[in-house]
Amino acid sequence: MPKKTFAIGIDLGGTSIKTGVVDKKGKILDQISVDSKASKGPPSVIQQMIFTIQHMFGKYKETECMGIGIGSPGVISVNEGLVKNPPNFANWDEVSLSKAIRKATDLPIFVENDANVAAIAEANFGAGAEYKHFLYVIWGTGVGGGIIVDKKIYRGPYGGAGEIGHVSIDYNGPVCNCGNHGCIEAYIGQRYLSQRTKEILKSQPKDMPPSKIIDFVDGNLDKIDPYIISMAAEQDDRIAREILEEAGKLLGYALVSVLNVIDVRVVVIGGGISAAPHYVYKAMESALRSRILKPNKAAVRILRAQLGNSAGMIGAASLVM
Ligand SMILES: [Zn+2]
């Protein structure tokens, strides 16, 4: 029997599929990224996934592979490898990814929610490695998360645990995609942050020095995104800094409720906006510490995720190892 030395981790996203060959230490030995063809329906997406697997088995021996792990958006039934209604995927109601991928290989296949997969990656190889329990928050287009207890992901009895984005901080607040009001996602998700920045810039008095954000988008305010806000903030742009600090503070308040309920004291922040400057983390942590119940006050910590864009592939591969 050949020694099993690696696993394949697939990070399935609405725009791309990233497939990595990952060793037992969580190191990515090789990777490939292809268009996910999400608008063309499940058969096209599956074909793309199989293409990346076969590509890797052209370079690495299938007999030395432990199995294939997949991180996918949507609601996942882990036991059947079933993916239900992933947002931004056309004509996708319920698809068993394990069954579909099994046509290409006899190796074990595991499917897990993408936020959970990133949490697992940070737990095994990243910012959460030193901690037995933590809350992972993915802050990007939306706000999601995963709960790690005793080094394991907590899915909840129906697989839906960790929906941190839909913790409401104001019952009269803006309407969220989910129908609730004042969800944290409706304040700090990518679209909201960009929209709010646009409004603030438009309302600036003419005699104020112009924000660097306007330079970065060449005056086209529709091009604003959190990355641009972060870039301006790094160059000490006052408006950008205030917007990000406020977003951090609001996330801190949402975390108060979550940590009070689940009794976890460490938070790891991942996702695209987690690259925000240090003072955003400070704002988050001081909001959290100022309002959390007393027993947890001194011990709470907020950490930046360490694995960046690779967390999806590494976590997916970890499902197998
Ligand atoms: Zn919501």
Side-chain angles (χ1 to χ4, degrees):
M1 280 283 279
K3 240 174 113 186
K4 305 270 185 186
T5 55
F6 69 91
I8 286 189
I10 302 179
D11 178 3
L12 173 61
T15 46
S16 66
I17 293 167
K18 285 186 284 178
T19 297
V21 172
V22 183
D23 73 10
K24 287 178 180 167
K25 289 182 176 150
K27 200 174 149 223
I28 296 176
L29 305 175
D30 200 348
Q31 59 180 301
I32 180 175
S33 173
V34 297
D35 182 350
S36 53
K37 301 199 174 169
S39 62
K40 299 215 164 109
S44 302
V45 176
I46 289 160
Q47 204 175 25
Q48 290 293 81
M49 292 173 82
I50 290 175
F51 167 78
T52 64
I53 295 168
Q54 285 169 342
H55 168 84
M56 288 311 183
F57 287 151
K59 297 167 82 178
Y60 300 84
K61 287 188 183 136
E62 189 171 348
T63 48
E64 292 176 10
C65 181
M66 286 175 267
I68 294 169
I70 302 164
S72 167
V75 178
I76 315 293
S77 293
V78 173
N79 292 336
E80 301 104 70
L82 206 63
V83 177
K84 297 174 202 165
N85 305 108
N88 309 315
F89 283 74
N91 307 320
W92 192 307
D93 183 26
E94 277 192 20
V95 175
S96 171
L97 277 186
S98 344
K99 216 185 264 175
I101 304 295
R102 181 134 307 126
K103 287 180 187 142
T105 176
D106 291 327
L107 291 167
I109 298 163
F110 299 88
V111 185
E112 177 61 274
N113 169 268
D114 51 3
N116 285 353
V117 154
I120 292 167
E122 292 293 338
N124 289 339
F125 304 110
E130 288 171 39
Y131 302 94
K132 272 173 86 176
H133 326 289
F134 68 90
L135 172 72
Y136 176 76
V137 177
I138 190 158
W139 183 9
T141 313
V143 178
I147 302 164
I148 299 284
V149 175
D150 283 327
K151 284 273 166 205
K152 292 202 178 84
I153 193 78
Y154 172 77
R155 298 187 181 93
Y158 310 103
E163 290 289 355
I164 293 131
H166 303 287
V167 170
S168 175
I169 54 171
D170 179 1
Y171 74 95
N172 280 323
V175 180
C176 175
N177 278 334
C178 75
N180 194 2
H181 286 249
C183 291
I184 185 65
E185 180 167 303
Y187 291 93
I188 68 164
Q190 185 163 326
R191 196 155 29 109
Y192 175 85
L193 257 190
S194 309
Q195 184 58 30
R196 182 164 153 66
T197 305
K198 194 170 145 182
E199 282 158 19
I200 291 172
L201 289 172
K202 276 186 178 163
S203 68
Q204 287 301 298
K206 292 274 177 289
D207 54 349
M208 294 278 287
S211 164
K212 291 205 174 76
I213 298 171
I214 298 174
D215 295 339
F216 284 135
V217 296
D218 288 328
N220 180 357
L221 300 189
D222 290 331
K223 281 197 199 155
I224 293 171
D225 65 29
Y227 176 71
I228 282 170
I229 305 169
S230 281
M231 270 200 321
E234 264 159 33
Q235 295 191 13
D236 266 337
D237 184 73
R238 182 186 57 86
I239 291 175
R241 184 177 172 137
E242 280 173 11
I243 286 164
L244 287 177
E245 259 176 345
E246 198 205 8
K249 195 165 88 178
L250 296 177
L251 179 53
Y253 290 144
L255 291 174
V256 170
S257 304
V258 181
L259 298 201
N260 280 342
V261 172
I262 66 171
D263 190 30
V264 159
R265 295 169 174 183
V266 176
V267 181
V268 174
I269 309 280
I273 311 181
S274 68
H278 177 65
Y279 52 77
V280 179
Y281 283 76
K282 267 178 94 176
M284 222 184 287
E285 200 167 293
S286 74
L288 173 61
R289 187 161 285 132
S290 71
R291 296 196 180 180
I292 196 163
L293 290 171
K294 224 173 186 174
N296 289 338
K297 219 177 249 297
V300 288
R301 293 195 64 187
I302 300 185
L303 310 168
R304 202 188 289 269
Q306 288 174 357
L307 302 173
N309 283 337
S310 305
M313 282 182 285
I314 296 171
S318 305
L319 299 172
V320 183
M321 300 193 272

